[in-house]
């Protein structure tokens, strides 16, 4: 069983809705279609089911052109599940699922076989217990399962779903999509998704639509790249891996990446000690830099997620001279340096030295000093701290205090700027 | 499932008995009947003689079998037509307000009837024939207006039916104003009544009504699927345009014939489907025959009331159907708030 879509174009009221769409799907494949509102996702499904007739191009089901098939023959091959369904008349759930047999029935009434297939479809979708209920009594998830059961009663070779879980809670979403996924081992399943992570989790392949064209199609990890998502949705995202399934996991940046004109804060941190500070600073739209951090350090991850310019070092290795110097370069460009209370060993002692250098350069340094034991340097850290104190570093007790202090600097900096302008 | 099927069977058995009972009882009611016949009333014995065929010549026999029974049959046929047409229209339009006249049948028939009186056209069944032609013409026009790019949208059909109805009603009113003579007759016809009844009328009306009703019944499964909406119906393999066209044609035939012989009888086609839906559910395979039987029973009783309540004058039956039907319908609505479909 193979579905081929070849060069399909669809125009509605003189505006192109689909432009030269070509792809193919085989049995056992679950294809997710994604794209912004108005990209043509639903139109594509409607063209495949021939509810809308494409103006150019062909849709082939195993070499049969959909155009040449009657509605009945199409319905024998294809089941369609819309986003939501409303049924005005008080049909029982059993009657509704039985209607899925419509394309297979020739005479006036259903045969025993039709009843059996209906019952089986209801068992598969776990709707048997709803049999005698009417549709409008059901919850959203139950309704959607009933509609899927109806589509299954058609014994389709292709199942089309249009955002089947958009209006459902998270447990219903998984229930429905697990069901669809299990069906997709034998038939072609094409589903429109709004939730990129759900799509990445469930689909074998993905298609990104934008402005009525295919931007990307293929395996989820190839389609869901920051560049593609930026192009299609104009949203900056970070792609991670779902820890359970190893499928791509998309995290959008929660605040817009606008040009930051404020002061620059350089954070020297490690071991998670800088997470809260970097988050707060980034949300305040301050320019933040960080370093030096080992690549596997949780602070490094945080910095990357927040799109912070960070200097990375090979995991578990000592800070090299080169990283140290790059760090100094960043410090040079900053207005204030914050040193957090991370555990210090010989490997990262250079970071403390960098803070010292910052003071030498005349850049203020805020040191967060808590009571936690963090000296693994046989007392060398103590000496460093003594020197920092001598060189007028500002010592604070926690992150909040550090943030307030930075705020004071910010005020002063702006005041100075105004002064300068007045003088001019 | 089984339980429900058996309960449906009981509903049908009850309805059939009720119909039989209705026919027998209403035959006795009226002037010169054993019931309500006043001073001219004859005995049950005489009535039994007529029924059993022992009395084969009296005027009484002719009243019971020729005049009254043919009228009961016509009332039954018209009741069936209106109920079936109403059920079909509510299904096709997915609208609980739809009735047999929604696609312009009544207004078209009215114009036809008004024309026949205005132009003083007189031949056998001149008024019913012109009314029927008017009804069909109106339906055809409404359908044609609603067709955009080879497709008919249900909403457009509904609206053009209303617009066409208003336009044709204006023409009817205009013709009534211009006619002057026989105005009374036309107004009476418009209010609906079964006084045209005769065995000849029954024989004329029966074949098209049978054809239309059976035809619609054969499409009951399609009708079920149509109520799901256009796109789901398409995806379940129904050629919606073709099916809708066939159903509209059959409805026009059935309701057109009913209107031609009995004028515009309101409410039967609107409420019978609703009442029966509450009893047997929305599946058209059971709903259509149940509505048909209920429609027949209801209209026979309504007509019996109409011809006896202020005898010897008779009321237009439309007054009775609305007087009894509307309050009952309101009661149902209150009882099943929002759940009549």
């Amino acid at each position: 069983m193979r579905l081929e879509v070849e060069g399909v174009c669809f125009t509605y009221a003189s505006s192109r809705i689909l432009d030269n769409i070509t792809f193919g799907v085989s049995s056992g494949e679950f294809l997710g279609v994604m794209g912004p509102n108005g990209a043509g996702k639903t139109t594509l499904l409607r063209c495949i089911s021939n509810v809308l007739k494409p103006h150019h191009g062909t849709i082939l089901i195993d070499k049969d052109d959909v155009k040449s098939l009657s509605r009945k023959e199409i319905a024998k091959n294809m089941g369609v599940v819309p986003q939501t369904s409303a049924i005005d008349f008080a049909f029982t759930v059993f009657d509704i699922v039985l209607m899925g047999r419509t394309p297979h029935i020739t005479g006036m009434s259903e045969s025993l076989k039709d009843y059996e297939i209906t019952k089986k479809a209801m068992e598969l979708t776990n709707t048997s217990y709803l049999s005698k209920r009417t549709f409008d009594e059901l919850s959203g998830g139950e309704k959607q399962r009933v509609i899927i059961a109806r589509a299954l009663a058609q014994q389709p070779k292709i199942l089309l779903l249009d955002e089947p879980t958009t209006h459902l809670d998270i447990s219903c979403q998984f229930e429905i999509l697990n069901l669809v996924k299990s069906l997709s081992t034998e038939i072609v399943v094409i589903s429109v998704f709004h939730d990129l992570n759900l799509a990445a989790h469930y689909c074998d392949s993905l298609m990104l639509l934008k402005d009525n064209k295919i931007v990307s199609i293929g395996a989820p990890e190839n389609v869901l790249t920051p560049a593609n998502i930026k192009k299609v949705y104009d949203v900056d995202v970070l792609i991670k891996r779902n820890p359970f399934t190893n499928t791509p996991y998309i995290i959008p940046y929660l605040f817009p990446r606008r040009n930051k004109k404020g002061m620059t804060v350089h954070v020297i941190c490690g071991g998670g000690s800088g997470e809260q500070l970097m988050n707060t600073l980034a949300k305040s739209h301050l320019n933040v830099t960080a370093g030096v951090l080992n690549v596997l350090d949780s602070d490094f991850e945080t910095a990357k997620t927040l799109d912070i310019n960070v200097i990375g070092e090979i995991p578990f290795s000592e800070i090299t001279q080169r990283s140290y110097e790059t760090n100094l370069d960043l410090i040079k460009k900053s207005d204030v340096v914050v040193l957090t209370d991370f555990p210090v060993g010989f490997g990262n002692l250079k970071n403390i030295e960098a803070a010292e250098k910052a003071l030498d350069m005349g850049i203020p340094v805020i040191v967060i000093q808590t009571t936690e034991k963090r000296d693994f340097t046989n007392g060398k850290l103590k000496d460093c701290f003594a020197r920092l104190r001598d060189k007028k570093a500002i010592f604070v007790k926690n992150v909040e205090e550090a943030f307030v202090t930075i705020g004071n600097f910010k005020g002063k900096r702006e005041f100075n700027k105004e002064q300068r302008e007045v003088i001019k | 499932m089984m339980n429900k099927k058996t309960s449906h069977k009981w509903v049908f058995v009850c309805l059939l008995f009720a119909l039989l009972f209705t026919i027998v009882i209403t035959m006795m009611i009226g002037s010169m009947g054993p019931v309500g016949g006043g001073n001219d009333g004859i005995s049950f014995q005489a009535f039994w003689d007529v029924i059993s065929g022992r009395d084969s010549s009296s005027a009484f026999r002719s009243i019971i079998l020729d005049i009254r029974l043919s009228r009961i049959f016509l009332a039954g046929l018209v009741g069936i037509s209106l109920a079936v047409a109403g059920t079909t229209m509510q299904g096709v339009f997915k609208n609980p307000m739809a009735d047999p006249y929604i696609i312009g049948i009544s207004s078209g028939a009215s114009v036809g009837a008004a024309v026949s009186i205005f132009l003083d056209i007189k031949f056998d069944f001149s008024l019913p024939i012109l009314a029927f032609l008017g009804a069909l013409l109106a339906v055809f026009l409404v359908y044609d207006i609603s067709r955009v790019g080879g497709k008919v949208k249900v909403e457009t059909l509904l609206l053009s039916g209303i617009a066409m109805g208003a336009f044709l009603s204006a023409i009817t009113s205009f013709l009534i104003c211009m006619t002057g003579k026989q105005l009374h007759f036309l107004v009476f016809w418009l209010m609906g009544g079964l006084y045209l009844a005769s065995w000849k009328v029954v024989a004329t009306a029966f074949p098209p009504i049978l054809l239309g009703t059976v035809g619609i019944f054969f499409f009951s499964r399609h009708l079920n699927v149509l109520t799901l909406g256009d796109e789901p119906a398409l995806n379940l393999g129904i050629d919606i345009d073709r099916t809708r066209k066939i159903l509209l044609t059959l409805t026009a035939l059935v309701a057109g014939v009913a209107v031609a012989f009995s004028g515009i009888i309101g409410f039967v086609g609107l409420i019978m489907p609703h009442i029966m839906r509450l009893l047997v559910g929305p599946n058209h395979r059971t709903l259509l025959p149940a509505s048909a039987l209920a429609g027949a029973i209801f209209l026979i009783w309504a007509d019996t009331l109409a011809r006896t309540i202020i005898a010897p004058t008779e009321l237009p039956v439309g007054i009775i159907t609305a007087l009894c039907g509307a309050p009952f319908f309101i009661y149902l609505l209150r009882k099943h708030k929002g759940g009549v479909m």
Side-chain angles (χ1 to χ4, degrees):
Chain A
M1 177 70 227
R2 186 156 172 84
L3 176 78
E4 289 284 353
V5 175
E6 289 173 6
V8 163
C9 298
F10 185 81
T11 309
Y12 182 75
S14 79
S15 67
R16 239 319 114 98
I17 303 204
L18 292 176
D19 194 1
N20 201 13
I21 303 287
T22 303
F23 66 95
V25 208
S26 301
S27 298
E29 199 176 340
F30 188 168
L31 172 69
V33 179
M34 296 167 306
N37 295 327
K41 304 182 295 288
T42 304
T43 308
L44 176 62
L45 288 196
R46 284 184 172 153
C47 280
I48 294 173
S49 63
N50 205 35
V51 168
L52 296 175
K53 320 262 185 279
H55 297 106
H56 295 288
T58 47
I59 288 148
L60 302 174
I61 305 174
D62 269 347
K63 305 270 160 20
D64 288 328
D65 193 339
V66 168
K67 256 182 282 179
S68 67
L69 299 176
S70 69
R71 282 293 353 151
K72 208 169 175 170
E73 282 166 321
I74 294 171
K76 281 181 189 170
N77 281 303
M78 254 185 246
V80 179
V81 178
Q83 200 178 106
T84 52
S85 305
I87 293 174
D88 298 332
F89 289 76
F91 286 106
T92 62
V93 165
F94 187 86
D95 283 340
I96 290 165
V97 180
L98 188 62
M99 285 188 211
R101 297 301 299 157
T102 306
H104 297 274
I105 300 168
T106 37
M108 267 293 285
S109 55
E110 303 86 5
S111 67
L112 261 172
K113 193 184 151 209
D114 295 318
Y115 281 101
E116 266 163 33
I117 291 165
T118 303
K119 277 180 190 150
K120 212 174 151 198
M122 294 180 75
E123 276 162 27
L124 258 176
T125 51
N126 186 26
T127 49
S128 304
Y129 70 100
L130 300 168
S131 192
K132 287 175 193 165
R133 304 262 295 275
T134 59
F135 195 71
D136 57 352
E137 294 171 22
L138 307 182
S139 71
E142 288 170 334
K143 279 182 183 171
Q144 209 58 317
R145 292 209 313 268
V146 168
I147 298 301
I148 292 174
R150 189 179 72 193
L152 290 186
Q154 288 173 251
Q155 296 183 302
K157 299 186 189 88
I158 300 163
L159 187 62
L160 306 177
L161 304 107
D162 191 356
E163 293 173 42
T165 61
T166 299
H167 299 289
L168 303 182
D169 67 47
I170 189 159
S171 82
C172 288
Q173 287 188 340
F174 286 122
E175 190 177 10
I176 300 280
L177 289 172
N178 284 337
L179 169 66
V180 172
K181 179 77 182 168
S182 68
L183 299 169
S184 73
T185 53
E186 283 167 30
I187 58 175
V188 172
V189 177
I190 303 178
S191 178
V192 170
F193 279 94
H194 262 323
D195 189 321
L196 303 180
N197 287 323
L198 278 180
H201 185 155
Y202 283 101
C203 297
D204 303 309
S205 52
L206 296 176
M207 177 200 291
L208 270 177
L209 282 177
K210 159 91 171 176
D211 293 336
N212 325 314
K213 288 190 184 81
I214 296 180
V215 171
S216 175
I217 183 165
E221 48 271 28
N222 298 336
V223 173
L224 293 177
T225 61
N228 277 344
I229 292 168
K230 175 79 183 167
K231 191 170 169 191
V232 170
Y233 293 100
D234 194 25
V235 170
D236 294 298
V237 298
L238 177 80
I239 309 277
K240 294 204 146 196
R241 287 278 169 174
N242 184 323
F244 300 116
T245 56
N246 204 36
T247 50
Y249 193 82
I250 294 113
I251 303 166
Y253 289 112
L254 294 174
F255 29 86
R257 293 165 86 193
R258 60 179 182 205
N259 286 333
K260 293 152 188 159
K261 283 176 189 153
M263 63 194 293
T264 304
V265 181
H266 185 77
V267 181
I268 299 173
C269 55
S273 62
E275 185 182 339
Q276 193 192 346
L277 182 69
M278 285 192 284
N279 259 311
T280 323
L281 293 174
K283 270 179 207 158
S284 324
H285 301 300
L286 290 172
N287 245 322
V288 186
T289 56
V292 178
L293 286 163
N294 289 106
V295 168
L296 284 182
D297 194 307
S298 68
D299 276 342
F300 182 82
E301 293 281 302
T302 308
K304 276 287 172 199
T305 309
L306 294 170
D307 198 27
I308 285 172
N309 189 1
V310 58
I311 299 153
E313 184 59 84
I314 302 159
F316 306 113
S317 57
E318 211 171 299
I319 295 170
T320 57
Q321 189 60 30
R322 200 171 147 209
S323 304
Y324 171 71
E325 275 161 16
T326 327
N327 199 17
L328 286 186
D329 285 344
L330 275 186
I331 288 172
K332 236 177 259 172
K333 284 179 205 154
S334 64
D335 297 302
V336 58
V337 173
V338 183
L339 185 64
T340 65
D341 57 333
F342 52 91
V344 181
F346 292 109
N348 59 354
L349 196 61
K350 276 205 166 75
N351 271 346
I352 311 292
E353 288 166 15
E356 224 182 300
K357 278 271 187 291
L359 287 168
D360 292 343
M361 287 183 244
I363 296 163
V365 173
I366 301 168
V367 182
I368 303 175
Q369 195 178 32
T370 53
T371 51
E372 252 168 81
K373 175 182 162 30
R374 56 196 187 96
D375 186 357
F376 302 97
T377 57
N378 294 333
K380 279 197 174 179
L381 181 66
K382 216 174 173 186
D383 302 340
C384 289
F385 266 54
R387 283 201 297 275
L388 285 174
R389 229 177 267 279
D390 288 345
K391 291 176 180 173
K392 304 264 160 49
I394 305 157
F395 279 73
V396 296
K397 285 196 188 69
N398 51 39
V399 173
E400 285 78 20
E401 242 178 75
F403 189 65
V404 171
T405 317
I406 294 167
N408 290 340
F409 276 113
K410 194 180 166 196
K412 250 183 227 161
R413 188 173 173 267
E414 263 149 33
F415 175 78
N416 286 340
K417 215 163 120 197
E418 275 169 33
Q419 287 279 313
R420 259 178 271 142
E421 267 161 30
V422 169
I423 292 163
K424 269 181 200 168
Chain B
M1 216 32 218
M2 264 350 264
N3 249 336
K4 205 155 188 187
K5 282 253 158 84
T6 6
S7 77
H8 289 174
K9 253 176 211 154
W10 275 108
V11 171
F12 279 107
V13 170
C14 291
L15 281 171
L16 276 170
F17 266 105
L19 181 60
L20 210 69
F21 175 79
T22 300
I23 292 171
V24 173
I25 299 296
T26 52
M27 269 167 78
M28 298 186 216
I29 301 174
S31 62
M32 292 194 74
V35 182
N39 295 335
D40 322 325
I42 52 143
S43 64
F44 281 101
Q45 180 61 46
F47 178 74
W48 178 244
D49 286 345
V50 171
I51 298 292
S52 60
R54 237 171 292 168
D55 177 355
S56 57
S57 58
S58 71
F60 179 55
R61 181 194 140 88
S62 144
I63 284 172
I64 296 282
L65 290 190
D66 288 344
I67 297 171
R68 195 165 297 154
L69 193 58
S70 70
R71 183 157 174 159
I72 289 168
F73 266 72
L74 185 66
L77 276 179
V78 170
I80 289 172
S81 308
L82 295 178
V84 166
T87 311
T88 312
M89 288 298 97
Q90 284 171 15
V92 167
F93 288 103
K94 293 180 290 165
N95 190 325
M97 306 242 291
D99 71 1
Y101 308 132
I102 197 142
I103 40 172
I105 288 175
S106 58
S107 42
S110 309
V111 171
V115 164
S116 87
I117 290 165
F118 181 66
L119 299 178
D120 208 11
I121 301 168
K122 272 188 186 137
F123 54 88
D124 247 13
F125 292 152
S126 59
L127 187 134
I129 286 172
L130 277 168
F132 182 69
L133 290 178
L136 285 195
L137 192 71
V139 172
F140 175 77
L141 275 174
V142 167
Y143 191 84
D144 211 50
I145 289 167
S146 322
R147 192 159 46 192
V148 182
K151 287 195 174 169
V152 173
K153 269 182 93 176
V154 162
E155 294 80 6
T156 327
L157 202 57
L158 208 64
L159 285 175
S160 53
I162 290 167
M164 183 58 74
F167 176 72
L168 291 177
S169 296
I171 293 185
T172 309
S173 304
F174 174 74
L175 288 176
I176 289 174
C177 290
M178 301 299 290
T179 306
K181 58 191 167 171
Q182 297 202 42
L183 189 72
H184 182 72
F185 183 74
L186 185 62
V187 169
F188 234 69
W189 183 87
L190 282 177
M191 286 194 277
L194 292 145
Y195 34 79
L196 283 177
S198 72
W199 283 117
K200 200 177 164 190
V201 167
V202 171
T204 315
F206 183 69
I209 288 176
L210 182 76
L211 181 79
T213 305
V214 171
I216 289 170
F217 183 65
F218 269 107
F219 276 91
S220 50
R221 212 160 36 78
H222 293 66
L223 204 47
N224 287 342
V225 179
L226 270 188
T227 63
L228 300 178
D230 284 7
E231 214 166 309
L234 277 174
N235 287 326
L236 288 170
I238 300 285
D239 184 342
I240 52 172
D241 287 321
R242 186 175 143 262
T243 310
R244 211 177 273 148
K245 212 179 202 169
I246 291 171
L247 285 171
L248 282 175
T249 311
L250 292 172
T251 305
L253 178 70
V254 166
V257 170
V259 168
F261 286 111
S262 63
I264 295 150
I265 301 172
F267 254 85
V268 182
L270 179 68
I271 57 165
M272 283 306 137
H274 286 294
I275 296 169
M276 286 303 119
R277 228 176 259 125
L278 290 175
L279 276 177
V280 301
N283 190 336
H284 286 86
R285 190 138 14 112
T286 42
L287 179 63
L288 280 167
S291 298
L293 290 173
I297 295 166
F298 178 67
L299 198 59
I300 292 172
W301 278 111
D303 181 53
T304 305
L305 265 177
R307 65 186 160 80
T308 52
I309 204 161
I310 51 161
T313 320
E314 69 171 77
L315 273 174
V317 73
I319 293 175
I320 306 288
T321 55
L323 272 181
C324 305
F328 184 59
F329 191 48
I330 289 163
Y331 161 75
L332 280 181
L333 279 180
R334 300 280 308 168
K335 203 174 153 199
H336 303 263
K337 271 175 196 141
V340 259
M341 298 281 270

